[in-house]
Amino acid sequence: MNDSRIVPMTLADVPQVLEIDRLSFPLPWSAASYKHELSQNKHAHFFVALESGQSRWQEWLGRWGERRVIGFSGYWYILDEAHISTVAVHPRWRGRGIGEELLKAMLARALKQGAVEATLEVRASNTVAQTLYRKYGFEDVGLRKNYYRDNGEDALLMTAKPLQATGRLA
């Protein structure tokens, strides 16, 4: 990971996360949704990728708005499954492995919690993301027809089962 450091998302990160969400998805989440996930949903685990070069002091100060968020991700851990709900990287930072680092952070955390599988939905047209997910053991297990409300695109349902610690997660 050359360009970022992955840390838990805080409420102070939400404005920057919203901007990345808006630039990444046709139907971005609302501020209220992120705030709910961070403060009300005991199953939610969200992360941000911070621009490298920030000192630990700057990172700590980030709780009051000084951190520079360049990507984010989240999953819900329920029973023994991690359901990945979102992954996005700011367009200026794409292609540098930041999405992969976010995915690795989620999978490593889920394994520590006892997850035995991980699931997600991904747009049928998003072959870049699908390639990344397959690298970490995800396989196509279904198709959700007309899943995305913006254009009716299908979603591939992908699962990594059994979820195992590998050298790739280190």
Side-chain angles (χ1 to χ4, degrees):
M1 175 173 62
N2 300 326
D3 294 309
S4 66
R5 184 161 13 124
I6 309 301
V7 299
M9 185 187 294
T10 68
L11 288 171
D13 296 325
V14 170
Q16 292 178 78
V17 166
L18 288 171
E19 178 64 12
I20 296 167
D21 201 344
R22 185 188 64 76
L23 293 168
S24 300
F25 300 114
L27 297 171
W29 288 20
S30 67
S33 294
Y34 283 108
K35 290 175 182 177
H36 171 80
E37 294 299 311
L38 293 173
S39 61
Q40 307 281 324
N41 185 350
K42 66 180 181 174
H43 302 291
H45 303 274
F46 282 74
F47 300 88
V48 291
L50 300 179
E51 182 179 17
S52 67
Q54 289 189 329
S55 69
R56 294 269 183 207
W57 176 248
Q58 287 171 310
E59 181 185 323
W60 182 80
L61 284 175
R63 295 183 181 148
W64 292 277
E66 299 296 322
R67 312 196 304 184
R68 184 144 157 202
V69 175
I70 59 176
F72 67 93
S73 64
Y75 72 96
W76 300 303
Y77 179 68
I78 301 172
L79 301 176
D80 60 356
E81 179 185 324
H83 182 86
I84 296 173
S85 58
T86 189
V87 179
V89 175
H90 192 286
R92 287 193 306 255
W93 292 88
R94 291 182 187 154
R96 301 185 195 191
I98 295 165
E100 183 170 3
E101 294 301 323
L102 286 160
L103 177 64
K104 286 168 50 175
M106 287 188 293
L107 295 176
R109 173 80 176 269
L111 277 167
K112 286 180 183 175
Q113 291 176 293
V116 297
E117 70 179 81
T119 63
L120 57 85
E121 292 92 9
V122 60
R123 286 182 183 266
S125 63
N126 192 345
T127 57
V128 172
Q130 292 167 33
T131 299
L132 172 62
Y133 299 141
R134 287 186 182 102
K135 179 178 177 180
Y136 288 89
F138 285 84
E139 297 176 351
D140 299 2
V141 295
L143 185 69
R144 298 193 193 276
K145 294 294 246 176
N146 304 311
Y147 183 78
Y148 293 98
R149 290 180 292 150
D150 64 308
N151 64 359
E153 184 174 357
D154 296 342
L156 290 178
L157 178 60
M158 300 182 78
T159 298
K161 182 179 180 177
L163 190 58
Q164 301 174 26
T166 67
R168 288 186 285 217
L169 295 182

